């Protein structure tokens, strides 16, 4: 019962988003072999069933679309729901009811949270940096080398920094809190170190 | 005109409609209000200009703080932002600085395009602020002017021989391969074997990578056609990237270093002695510096595995860092007046690497191309704007230009020419916040109405200047993309202002 509902909802999702199915050959994730849907990684991630993997694939494609309003429909089975909290730059807590497979950057955009994504999730900038709650930081998969390279350029890097565009929601991330770095007004007064360019 | 609030608000009665809440509030008594939309002018359409505009448009929304029948209320009006740009095309260094083989970095153009297409944002290209219109005239027309015109000059080496043929600033070289109209006459001669780049920042590495990348890779990027032709004829087989100080002071970042290490058909050649003591110094160093240095050490010192060794043996080109060297003279051939070599002084480090001090030794390196990549530099735009020539920035306090009310700055003009797009983004949001604070506190008086682009457009027309709108730019954009299709490139850039304006007029 739940399984067929899951199939229906994911097929609906597939069809709704099918007009913007990405072309893998041009996608940086594919070219860098870090795409969650490539053959090699499908074997690695044996714990995810193929439906969830398809959802994740569609929702992590590079900058081609945003998660559509209609994609969270009332029929979603509970085991797909992931509740997280964004803490914006003014300290305001914004709870969000999300789904397994949602991309943290695009989810933020959908909820009007000002998390910039200058390079549109292609691991070419650090504007979507978030601080991940300690309890959940270790539950995230290790960053790929390129994410670490971009994080190195982020202002106010912390131990629990990650790039929002690389965080895909899974059930165990329920309750995760993502804090947007506060850009302090005296960022430059406090011994600003010129950044390389 | 374009007041989004009924005109009656400009009088003493205070009937306003809050469109977002659908509520009509009637009140009297003390009231602070802005009578018309704040009109803000941004000079420069690169990341600084666009991020500042983005924040201003987002934050200056109709906003009721508190209201009741008799108490005061505050309303912040919709800001209108006009972005002026000297060239017919927008986006500044995102278009002309970011390397052609880094297309993902240019995705930010989509964000900027969204901002430009907001009804309260207008783009005026082909307008030279400082020449076609003065800062003072802009200040008269707008409530606030934000200077975001970046750094179009470059620091010079200041050594004899710098004027010889074959010596270029990184800025001009990058402008050349990225299609900046003013750099299209560069025609660098790439027929020598060795190229020397002074400076070890990301710009230096970009140039090294463009000089050494297999042309087949570059053919699919938006690099200009003349550059591709020059690179196809290029004889350059070896590029040295030279820095005054040591490995721990290198200014590039790990992404660019990794790209050099993995560059097809090239091998790295470093001087092992340059890395003495570096591994030991890494213990307490912050993560970014640590990872970068570890990659450098690995590349320079580790014995490569069999596969990598084979790859290096087969490589037809080489590159390497040289440390502790400062240029003292560019050596030229007296007949051809072309560069044939560069004389470098040997340094040693003092004060924990903060300072490079001459030792007295020199060495000569044979080369036919010298590119100095030692920093961009802002230039003054208008005598009425204060300028710190030592730091080459506009003196400011959190984006507020010192001693000039209503004048702000953001981006490299504000902090100096370093930082990636994310840094400039934060910097620009910061300036926008200062500006909004000033509106809210009354420091910036937006109660008197200002003509904005109406008066400036009239001035420009009188002076024979034809501004290019954002939809005009989209004509140019489409023309370039169409032209690129034929050769499998994302675009074929138009290389002169005349060509761009011709497309606009069709």
């Amino acid at each position: 019962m739940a399984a067929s509902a899951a199939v229906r909802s994911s097929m609906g999702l597939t069809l709704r988003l099918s007009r913007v199915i990405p072309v893998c050959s041009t996608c940086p994730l594919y070219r860098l072999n870090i795409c969650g849907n490539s053959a090699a990684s499908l074997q690695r991630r044996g714990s995810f069933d193929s439906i969830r993997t398809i959802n994740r694939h569609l929702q992590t494609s590079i900058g081609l679309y945003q998660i559509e309003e209609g994609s969270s429909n009332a029929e979603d089975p509970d085991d797909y729901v992931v509740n997280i909290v964004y803490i914006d730059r003014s300290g305001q807590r914004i709870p969000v009811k999300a789904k397994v497979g949602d991309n943290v950057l695009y989810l933020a955009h959908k909820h009007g949270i000002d998390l910039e994504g200058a390079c549109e999730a292609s691991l070419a900038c650090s504007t979507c940096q978030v601080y991940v709650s300690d309890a959940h930081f270790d539950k995230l998969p290790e960053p790929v080398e390129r994410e670490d390279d971009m994080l190195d350029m982020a202002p106010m890097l912390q131990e629990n920094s990650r790039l929002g565009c690389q965080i895909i929601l899974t059930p165990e991330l329920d309750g995760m809190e993502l804090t947007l770095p506060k850009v302090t007004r005296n960022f430059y007064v406090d011994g600003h170190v010129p950044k390389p360019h | 005109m374009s007041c989004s609030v009924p005109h009656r608000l400009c009088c003493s009665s205070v009937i306003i409609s809050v469109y977002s809440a659908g509520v009509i509030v009637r009140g009297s008594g003390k009231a602070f209000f802005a009578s018309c939309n704040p009109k803000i002018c941004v000079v420069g359409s690169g990341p600084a200009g666009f991020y500042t505009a983005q924040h201003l448009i987002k934050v200056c929304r109709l906003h009721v703080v508190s209201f009741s029948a008799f108490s005061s209320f505050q309303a912040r009006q919709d800001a209108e932002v006009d972005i002026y740009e000297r060239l017919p095309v927008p986006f500044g260094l995102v278009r002309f600085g970011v390397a052609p083989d880094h297309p993902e970095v240019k995705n930010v153009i989509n964000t900027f395009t969204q901002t430009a297409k907001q009804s309260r944002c207008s783009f005026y290209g082909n307008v030279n602020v400082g020449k076609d219109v003065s800062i003072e005239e802009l200040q008269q027309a707008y409530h606030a002017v934000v200077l975001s015109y970046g750094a179009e000059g470059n620091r010079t080496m200041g050594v004899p021989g710098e004027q010889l043929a074959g010596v270029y600033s990184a800025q001009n070289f990058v402008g050349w391969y990225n299609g900046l109209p003013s750099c299209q006459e560069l025609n660098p001669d790439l027929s020598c074997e060795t190229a020397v780049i002074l400076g070890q920042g990301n710009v230096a590495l970009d140039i090294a990578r463009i000089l050494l990348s297999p042309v087949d890779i570059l053919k699919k990027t938006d690099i200009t056609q003349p550059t591709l032709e020059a690179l196809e004829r290029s004889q350059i087989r070896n590029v040295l990237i030279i820095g005054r100080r040591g490995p721990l002071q290198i200014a590039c970042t790990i992404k660019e270093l990794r790209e050099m290490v993995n560059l097809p058909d090239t091998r790295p050649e470093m001087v092992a002695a340059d890395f003495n003591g570096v591994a030991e110094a890494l213990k307490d160093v912050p993560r970014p510096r640590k990872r970068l240095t570890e990659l450098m050490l690995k590349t320079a010192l580790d014995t490569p595995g069999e596969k990598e060794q084979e790859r290096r043996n087969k490589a037809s080109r080489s590159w390497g860092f040289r440390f502790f060297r400062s240029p003292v003279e560019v050596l030229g051939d007296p007949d051809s007046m072309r560069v044939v070599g560069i004389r470098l002084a040997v340094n040693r480090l003092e004060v924990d690497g903060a300072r490079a001090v001459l030792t007295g030794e020199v060495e000569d390196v044979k080369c036919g191309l010298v590119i100095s990549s030692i920093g961009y530099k802002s230039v003054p735009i208008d005598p009425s704007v204060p300028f710190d020539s030592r730091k080459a920035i506009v003196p400011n306090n959190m984006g507020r230009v010192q001693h000039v009310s209503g004048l702000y700055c953001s981006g490299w003009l504000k902090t100096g020419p370093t930082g990636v797009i994310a840094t400039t983004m934060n910097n620009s949001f910061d300036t926008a916040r200062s500006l909004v604070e000033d509106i809210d506190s009354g420091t910036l008086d937006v109660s008197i109405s200002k003509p904005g682009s109406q008066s400036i457009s009239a001035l420009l027309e009188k002076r024979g200047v034809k501004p290019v709108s954002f939809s005009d730019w989209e004509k140019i954009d489409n023309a370039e993309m169409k032209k690129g299709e034929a050769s499998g490139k994302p675009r074929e850039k138009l290389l002169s202002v005349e060509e761009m304006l011709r497309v606009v007029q069709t």
Side-chain angles (χ1 to χ4, degrees):
Chain A
M1 187 61 206
S4 61
V7 171
R8 265 205 321 279
S9 80
S10 77
M11 277 313 290
L13 185 64
T14 306
L15 288 172
R16 272 191 295 274
L17 296 172
S18 63
R19 56 192 163 92
V20 286
I21 293 234
V23 177
C24 281
S25 55
T26 60
C27 168
L29 284 185
Y30 176 85
R31 280 190 282 137
L32 293 168
N33 205 27
I34 55 171
C35 170
N37 227 35
S38 67
S41 70
L42 275 174
Q43 282 171 348
R44 260 191 290 124
R45 296 173 197 269
S47 54
F48 287 107
D49 65 55
S50 55
I51 294 167
R52 292 184 180 180
T53 310
I54 290 169
N55 273 346
R56 239 197 11 254
H57 163 70
L58 289 173
Q59 289 165 359
T60 58
S61 297
I62 308 301
L64 295 173
Y65 58 92
Q66 309 260 344
I67 296 170
E68 294 183 7
E69 277 303 323
S71 65
S72 40
N73 68 56
E75 300 170 38
D76 282 346
D78 277 336
D79 54 318
Y80 274 90
V81 169
V82 180
N83 291 298
I84 64 169
V85 177
Y86 287 91
I87 299 168
D88 76 9
R89 297 181 208 278
S90 63
Q92 194 191 357
R93 293 174 66 86
I94 302 156
V96 165
K97 182 172 165 180
K99 284 168 44 252
V100 168
D102 279 348
N103 175 302
V104 157
L105 174 63
Y106 292 126
L107 185 67
H109 290 174
K110 186 178 160 195
H111 291 268
I113 294 157
D114 66 346
L115 188 59
E116 289 292 328
C119 74
E120 298 176 354
S122 43
L123 286 177
C125 79
S126 56
T127 56
C128 68
Q129 181 194 187
V130 290
Y131 305 136
V132 180
S133 42
D134 291 333
H136 303 87
F137 183 71
D138 292 320
K139 300 202 172 121
L140 296 173
E142 285 287 306
V144 295
E145 192 174 71
R146 237 185 116 165
E147 182 184 346
D148 273 333
D149 287 354
M150 289 302 111
L151 280 170
D152 280 357
M153 297 205 254
M156 294 174 298
L157 185 68
Q158 287 179 182
E159 289 286 335
N160 60 340
S161 287
R162 288 296 301 263
L163 294 183
C165 69
Q166 301 301 300
I167 301 177
I168 307 303
L169 295 184
T170 60
E172 65 224 332
L173 295 178
D174 193 80
M176 177 168 65
E177 298 195 346
L178 300 167
T179 307
L180 273 58
K182 274 194 206 1
V183 184
T184 59
R185 295 312 306 280
N186 41 0
F187 177 62
Y188 294 103
V189 170
D190 278 340
H192 163 65
V193 177
K195 288 223 167 260
H197 65 283
Chain B
M1 220 203 76
S2 52
C3 281
S4 61
V5 170
H7 179 65
R8 279 171 295 169
L9 183 63
C10 303
C11 317
S12 55
S13 72
V14 287
I15 303 164
I16 73 166
S17 62
V18 181
Y19 55 70
S20 57
V23 164
I24 296 181
V25 176
R26 188 192 295 272
S28 62
K30 256 200 320 188
F32 296 100
F33 54 87
S35 62
C36 264
N37 309 50
K39 291 201 173 60
I40 302 168
C41 158
V42 173
V43 179
S45 70
F50 265 105
Y51 274 128
T52 308
Q54 177 185 312
H55 193 88
L56 289 170
I57 289 175
K58 187 172 75 164
V59 171
C60 287
R61 280 190 306 276
L62 190 61
H63 174 76
V64 173
V65 172
S66 68
F67 57 90
S68 79
F70 299 104
S71 73
S72 61
F73 70 91
Q74 206 169 13
R76 194 198 281 150
Q77 300 275 1
D78 294 347
E80 287 174 19
V81 181
D82 292 340
I83 304 177
Y84 289 83
E85 163 61 51
R86 183 173 55 196
L87 288 169
V89 297
F91 309 133
L93 282 179
V94 178
R95 174 179 165 104
F96 293 117
V98 174
D101 56 350
H102 286 168
E104 309 87 12
V105 178
K106 301 191 199 199
N107 283 346
V108 71
I109 283 176
N110 297 333
T111 309
F112 298 159
T113 299
Q114 267 186 355
T115 299
K117 288 175 123 148
Q118 300 262 347
S119 58
R120 290 184 281 115
C121 183
S122 301
F123 172 76
Y124 295 92
N126 197 37
V127 177
N128 188 333
V129 173
K131 182 167 150 279
D132 296 335
V133 60
S134 72
I135 295 287
E136 271 184 85
E137 285 165 335
L138 290 175
Q139 283 189 286
Q140 276 161 27
Y142 291 93
H143 293 105
V145 174
V146 184
L147 302 174
S148 316
Y149 61 83
E152 67 192 59
N154 57 269
R155 294 175 63 201
T156 53
M157 291 188 282
V159 301
E162 198 160 4
Q163 312 306 321
L164 288 167
V167 182
Y168 306 102
S169 71
Q171 186 162 44
N172 287 341
F173 198 81
V174 171
W176 170 68
Y177 68 61
N178 270 337
L180 187 60
S182 57
C183 296
Q184 292 314 298
E185 308 296 304
L186 213 75
N187 293 322
D189 184 341
L190 307 180
S191 59
C192 53
E193 194 190 300
T194 301
V196 159
I197 305 175
L198 286 320
Q200 296 173 324
N202 284 342
V203 178
L205 264 64
D206 276 354
I207 293 174
R209 198 177 65 248
I210 296 295
L211 284 174
L212 293 176
S213 281
V215 176
D216 284 338
I217 295 180
L218 296 176
K219 263 196 177 115
K220 298 298 170 196
T221 70
D222 64 8
I223 201 168
T224 68
Q225 192 53 32
T227 308
L228 274 177
E229 287 164 14
L231 288 174
E232 266 160 355
R233 292 189 303 260
S234 162
Q235 304 292 309
I236 295 176
R237 294 291 172 263
N238 180 31
V239 176
L240 296 176
I241 307 168
I242 301 183
R244 282 180 309 126
R245 296 182 293 172
L248 286 168
Q249 288 77 38
I250 205 171
C252 63
T253 53
I254 195 170
K255 171 181 169 224
E256 281 72 13
L257 176 59
R258 228 186 269 289
E259 287 170 332
M260 288 309 297
V261 170
N262 296 331
L263 198 56
D265 195 30
T266 66
R267 68 176 172 276
E269 282 177 352
M270 315 270 206
V271 173
D274 281 349
F275 296 88
N276 288 341
V278 168
E280 294 72 32
L282 276 187
K283 272 184 281 303
D284 300 309
V285 148
R287 179 188 117 149
R289 176 63 61 190
K290 191 158 178 218
R291 290 180 75 237
L292 172 64
T293 314
E294 282 170 350
L295 178 57
M296 241 195 304
L297 286 169
K298 178 163 171 248
T299 309
L301 302 179
D302 282 8
T303 315
E306 206 183 303
K307 221 171 111 192
E308 169 66 8
Q309 187 59 63
E310 210 191 305
R311 191 193 73 82
R312 290 188 188 183
N313 293 343
K314 284 203 282 199
S316 65
R317 299 173 172 190
S318 61
W319 67 279
F321 293 129
R322 295 290 179 271
F323 296 99
F324 312 108
R325 301 287 183 276
S326 294
V328 289
E329 188 179 344
V330 180
L331 309 167
D333 177 283
D335 300 317
S336 66
M337 294 300 281
R338 294 201 59 85
V339 56
V340 294
I342 186 163
R343 178 157 294 159
L344 304 168
V346 179
N347 299 325
R348 85 168 174 269
L349 291 185
E350 280 192 357
V351 196
D352 272 339
R355 230 167 358 129
V357 168
L358 295 172
T359 58
E361 269 184 72
V362 290
E363 66 186 35
D364 290 353
V365 172
K366 185 167 165 223
C367 60
L369 181 68
V370 170
I371 301 182
S372 75
S373 182
I374 56 178
Y376 286 46
K377 205 164 73 161
S378 291
V379 299
I381 192 174
D382 191 292
S384 67
V385 177
F387 193 78
D388 179 338
S389 4
R390 194 179 60 84
K391 290 195 219 157
I393 57 169
V394 170
N396 69 92
N397 182 10
M398 298 211 276
R400 298 176 176 97
V401 175
Q402 274 178 12
H403 312 310
V404 185
S405 138
L407 197 59
Y408 300 79
C409 56
S410 68
W412 283 2
L413 186 61
K414 169 182 169 189
T415 57
T418 58
V420 293
I421 289 181
T423 332
T424 298
M425 178 186 84
N426 289 332
N427 157 337
S428 304
F429 287 169
D430 225 43
T431 293
R433 271 187 275 268
S434 290
L435 207 164
V436 171
E437 258 174 36
D438 289 352
I439 292 180
D440 285 350
S441 68
T443 310
L444 193 63
D445 184 5
V446 297
S447 61
I448 23 145
S449 102
K450 290 263 193 174
S453 58
Q454 271 195 337
S455 64
I456 300 296
S457 297
L459 260 177
L460 292 173
E461 200 179 327
K462 239 191 330 185
R463 293 170 186 173
V465 177
K466 288 201 178 65
V468 167
S469 70
F470 200 77
S471 46
D472 288 337
W473 143 248
E474 287 179 312
K475 278 196 214 165
I476 300 174
D477 192 22
N478 289 332
E480 291 186 340
M481 289 194 287
K482 190 145 177 267
K483 216 168 153 204
E485 267 172 30
S487 29
K489 295 165 84 174
R491 72 177 60 239
E492 188 62 63
K493 286 179 181 168
L494 300 182
L495 300 178
S496 72
V497 170
E498 291 73 34
E499 268 185 276
M500 295 173 185
L501 293 177
R502 220 176 303 136
V503 166
V504 166
Q505 273 140 31
T506 52

